[in-house]
Amino acid sequence: MSGIYIHIPFCKTRCSYCDFFKSTKLLYREQYIEKLLEELRDRRHFFGSRKNNLQTIYFGGGTPSLFSEKSIDNILNTISKNFPVADNAEITLEVNPDDLSPEYLKALRKTGINRLSIGVQSFYDVDLQKMGRRHDAMQSRRSLEWVFQTGFENVGIDLIYGLPWSDGSTFLSNLDILSNYPVQHLSAYHLTIEPGTQFGKLKRQNRLSEPDDSESEKIFWALHDKAAEMGFEHYEISNFCRNGLYSRHNTAYWDNVPYLGAGPAAHSFDGTKRYWNKSDLNQYIKQGFSAGISCETLTLKDRFNEYLMLRLRTSKGMNVDEVKKNFESYWNRIEPDINKWIQKEFLEKSDGYIYGTRKGWFVIDAIIEDLFILE
């Protein structure tokens, strides 16, 4: 179940909280596409002799919806000419509400895009303005109406909670608004204030601060419970879905399935080695991906730590037999610590799986860090 990630590193403006690699130099879009297509052609043998068809294609960013339907179609055609793509492949495009129109959405459907991830972030204008988003709440509602009117069914939205100026009840009222639409996927992320962002600057000036952990945990579980009432399955720390429509692309990451990432700052994994393209748009356009690509071979310890990190963030957790089979020596080292967390009721073991309890899942990152093999 291999996949391809396409990084679109362009945004009209910079949001106050975002530290993803991006550029506001939109005039470089056409040059970028030329180099992106070149990379896809040059890396057509990335998956080697594997005969499995591509199961997922994901356009992330940045803001992929800044690209015309013709550009999206060109990229997808290049992929299909150089990689075998499954007939039922999940093909996702991240979009901003203010980029959407009925005409654009109809054109996107014709390209083969069959899943949309909409960067709503909040249905309240005060939140959007303070976060530096370029759309307003009305545009979010209108874009959702257009999305379903034009025939898209597998649709997800992103929301952000833990905003310094807001409280849990205000955030949860976003779900009341969401309930008016047949959205099948929800990604809800707690705000993290990163040093290189506008919010990071405000934090250093003591003009902004994150809510304390106890308040954040209350919101997290209130979100979990309300989403469950709405028919959502909480299948990963930040992700919920209805009707089994989880993100197949992201789930492949968590299952350590090989994937190819194209574009500056994109990462790839072939099952043994990790690759990453340099975060430099100018170099990418002038010299192509190969001038800045780096690679490392993952050690058994690296693979074990990644397994812990990825699996324990999911509701299913990690398979004990699988861990013993692939990482027996490391399992023997961490088993006493696993049992310690089980006794404290932060982890639970059932049906051959170990996963976070209601008490432990919110702090699962700290538990994972405790279990990491460092030497």
Side-chain angles (χ1 to χ4, degrees), residues 1-4 52-59 76 79-80 83-93 108-109 111-116 152 154 245-249:
M1 183 180 167
S2 302
I4 289 182
N52 292 338
N53 292 341
L54 285 179
Q55 297 294 321
T56 65
I57 300 170
Y58 193 104
F59 290 82
L76 288 173
I79 291 174
S80 65
F83 302 88
V85 181
D87 292 338
N88 65 340
E90 174 192 272
I91 307 177
T92 303
L93 187 78
L108 284 180
R109 289 200 69 201
T111 68
I113 298 294
N114 55 30
R115 183 176 184 271
L116 295 178
F152 283 97
N154 194 354
L245 288 176
Y246 55 88
S247 169
R248 288 162 54 191
H249 185 83

Side-chain angles (χ1 to χ4, degrees), residues 42-100:
D42 287 350
R43 304 183 79 179
R44 63 187 179 278
H45 300 303
F46 177 81
F47 297 108
S49 60
R50 294 184 183 89
K51 296 182 179 180
N52 292 338
N53 292 341
L54 285 179
Q55 297 294 321
T56 65
I57 300 170
Y58 193 104
F59 290 82
T63 311
S65 52
L66 287 177
F67 276 23
S68 69
E69 66 275 11
K70 291 182 180 179
S71 295
I72 299 296
D73 193 46
N74 197 5
I75 295 169
L76 288 173
N77 284 334
T78 300
I79 291 174
S80 65
K81 289 176 182 178
N82 291 276
F83 302 88
V85 181
D87 292 338
N88 65 340
E90 174 192 272
I91 307 177
T92 303
L93 187 78
E94 290 183 353
V95 299
N96 272 16
D98 53 313
D99 292 328
L100 301 183

Side-chain angles (χ1 to χ4, degrees), residues 287-329:
Q287 299 176 275
F289 81 97
S290 59
I293 194 167
S294 300
C295 171
E296 67 172 342
T297 299
L298 299 181
T299 65
L300 186 65
K301 180 188 73 176
D302 294 333
R303 289 166 50 208
F304 174 72
N305 286 338
E306 284 202 2
Y307 181 93
L308 283 179
M309 178 180 67
L310 296 170
R311 297 300 178 86
L312 285 179
R313 287 180 59 86
T314 68
S315 60
K316 185 170 67 174
M318 63 180 186
N319 184 295
V320 175
D321 289 339
E322 190 174 47
V323 178
K324 290 180 178 178
K325 177 183 176 181
N326 297 315
F327 311 103
E328 183 177 7
S329 62

Side-chain angles (χ1 to χ4, degrees), residues 30-300:
E30 292 304 317
Q31 294 170 274
Y32 173 74
I33 289 176
E34 290 179 13
K35 289 298 181 180
L36 178 66
L37 299 183
E38 180 181 295
E39 179 180 2
L40 289 169
R41 289 190 291 265
D42 287 350
R43 304 183 79 179
R44 63 187 179 278
H45 300 303
F46 177 81
F47 297 108
S49 60
R50 294 184 183 89
K51 296 182 179 180
N52 292 338
N53 292 341
L54 285 179
Q55 297 294 321
T56 65
I57 300 170
Y58 193 104
F59 290 82
T63 311
S65 52
L66 287 177
F67 276 23
S68 69
E69 66 275 11
K70 291 182 180 179
S71 295
I72 299 296
D73 193 46
N74 197 5
I75 295 169
L76 288 173
N77 284 334
T78 300
I79 291 174
S80 65
K81 289 176 182 178
N82 291 276
F83 302 88
V85 181
D87 292 338
N88 65 340
E90 174 192 272
I91 307 177
T92 303
L93 187 78
E94 290 183 353
V95 299
N96 272 16
D98 53 313
D99 292 328
L100 301 183
S101 68
E103 294 73 26
Y104 181 58
L105 288 164
K106 290 175 184 176
L108 284 180
R109 289 200 69 201
K110 292 179 181 178
T111 68
I113 298 294
N114 55 30
R115 183 176 184 271
L116 295 178
S117 178
I118 308 176
V120 171
Q121 313 309 352
S122 174
F123 284 104
Y124 292 96
D125 285 334
V126 63
D127 295 339
L128 297 171
Q129 291 164 5
K130 290 186 176 182
M131 285 191 284
R133 299 294 294 176
R134 55 186 174 86
H135 67 276
D136 59 34
M138 183 57 67
Q139 286 174 312
S140 290
R141 294 179 185 235
R142 188 168 58 233
S143 67
L144 280 167
E145 292 172 0
W146 288 339
V147 161
F148 294 111
Q149 287 171 2
T150 51
F152 283 97
E153 297 178 353
N154 194 354
V155 177
I157 72 165
D158 289 0
L159 294 176
I160 295 178
Y161 66 100
L163 300 174
W165 57 85
S166 186
D167 58 23
S169 61
T170 301
F171 169 74
L172 291 173
S173 63
N174 280 286
L175 299 188
D176 294 326
I177 298 171
L178 171 63
S179 67
N180 295 313
Y181 307 95
V183 169
Q184 299 298 311
H185 194 276
L186 168 65
S187 295
Y189 301 102
H190 190 289
L191 175 69
T192 301
I193 300 180
E194 300 292 350
T197 63
Q198 178 63 24
F199 277 179
K201 179 181 178 180
L202 294 175
K203 184 177 181 178
R204 290 193 300 273
Q205 297 172 345
N206 295 318
R207 296 166 59 190
L208 199 66
S209 61
E210 295 151 303
D212 61 44
D213 289 345
S214 61
E215 178 64 21
S216 294
E217 185 171 8
K218 289 178 183 177
I219 299 174
F220 176 81
W221 286 114
L223 163 65
H224 169 92
D225 293 340
K226 188 159 187 173
E229 292 174 2
M230 296 168 61
F232 283 95
E233 174 192 354
H234 194 175
Y235 71 98
E236 194 270 346
I237 286 286
S238 302
N239 288 280
F240 307 74
C241 72
R242 283 172 167 151
N243 303 312
L245 288 176
Y246 55 88
S247 169
R248 288 162 54 191
H249 185 83
N250 288 339
T251 298
Y253 290 156
W254 305 325
D255 287 343
N256 278 314
V257 173
Y259 58 88
L260 171 63
H267 285 61
S268 306
F269 176 60
D270 67 4
T272 304
K273 295 181 180 180
R274 182 86 59 205
Y275 305 82
W276 59 96
N277 294 351
K278 189 174 182 180
S279 301
D280 188 326
L281 179 61
N282 289 331
Q283 184 185 68
Y284 187 87
I285 289 174
K286 292 177 180 178
Q287 299 176 275
F289 81 97
S290 59
I293 194 167
S294 300
C295 171
E296 67 172 342
T297 299
L298 299 181
T299 65
L300 186 65

